[in-house]
Amino acid sequence: LPICEFLTARDFCEIHTPKLLPGASEGGASVFELQYFGRQACLAQSPQFYKEMMCANAGFQRVFEVGPVFRAENSNTHRHLCEFTGMDMEMQIQEHYYEALDVFSDLFIYIFDNLYSRFGHLIAAVKEQFPFEDLRYCRPTLRITFA
């Protein structure tokens, strides 16, 4: 995946966090509950806790995960997903939060560039049936300051 290539090249370590947990991983959100070998468990809503522990306590400065996320939202609309593949990242900030903004800017540019270089033939096939304008984006990504 281009996301993994990009983050690994920038010293992020890919991690894989547990998906069966003894309790909710986020407050305020519904969880899928189940019995696991006679004990109450639930499906992970987020790897957030584990990412923070890796950066705060385990000596990793940059971590990411691409993996399943489970949300027990009974919304019954096309805008909500109960199960999806998410990309989560965590990094220590050394000086300023712009460090994180710079990583996101470069990440999106990398993804967008790779969409056309790797999958241009597929984009062209879709475009034949459903015409659309080519994606345009800023290099670097526009940053709006509130100074």
Side-chain angles (χ1 to χ4, degrees):
L1 289 173
I3 292 171
C4 299
E5 292 169 6
F6 174 88
L7 292 172
T8 302
R10 279 150 188 86
D11 298 324
F12 280 80
C13 178
E14 185 172 9
I15 63 172
H16 300 281
T17 61
K19 301 304 173 223
L20 283 172
L21 304 174
S25 55
E26 283 186 8
S30 298
V31 297
F32 288 108
E33 295 179 327
L34 60 132
Q35 288 292 314
Y36 185 69
F37 294 108
R39 302 176 97 172
Q40 190 66 27
C42 61
L43 296 177
Q45 303 155 284
S46 167
Q48 187 67 36
F49 173 76
Y50 295 98
K51 292 182 314 170
E52 289 172 357
M53 291 302 102
M54 294 295 285
C55 285
N57 298 325
F60 290 83
Q61 292 189 356
R62 297 173 167 213
V63 297
F64 77 97
E65 178 177 53
V66 176
V69 178
F70 304 96
R71 304 282 170 102
E73 297 178 10
N74 188 15
S75 60
N76 298 312
T77 72
H78 65 281
R79 293 182 303 270
H80 294 82
L81 296 173
C82 289
E83 179 183 351
F84 58 92
T85 300
M87 189 284 288
D88 277 274
M89 58 181 273
E90 190 81 23
M91 63 183 276
Q92 292 179 357
I93 295 174
Q94 304 303 317
E95 300 288 330
H96 197 277
Y97 75 92
Y98 280 5
E99 296 166 37
L101 295 180
D102 290 341
V103 170
F104 285 124
S105 172
D106 294 345
L107 173 62
F108 281 107
I109 290 168
Y110 188 84
I111 291 169
F112 296 152
D113 285 349
N114 274 273
L115 282 174
Y116 284 96
S117 67
R118 292 183 180 192
F119 307 108
H121 64 288
L122 297 173
I123 293 170
V126 171
K127 198 173 192 177
E128 282 183 31
Q129 291 189 2
F130 305 100
F132 57 88
E133 292 183 28
D134 286 339
L135 178 63
R136 296 185 311 184
Y137 48 97
C138 297
R139 295 168 185 267
T141 303
L142 178 64
R143 181 179 296 161
I144 299 173
T145 59
F146 298 97

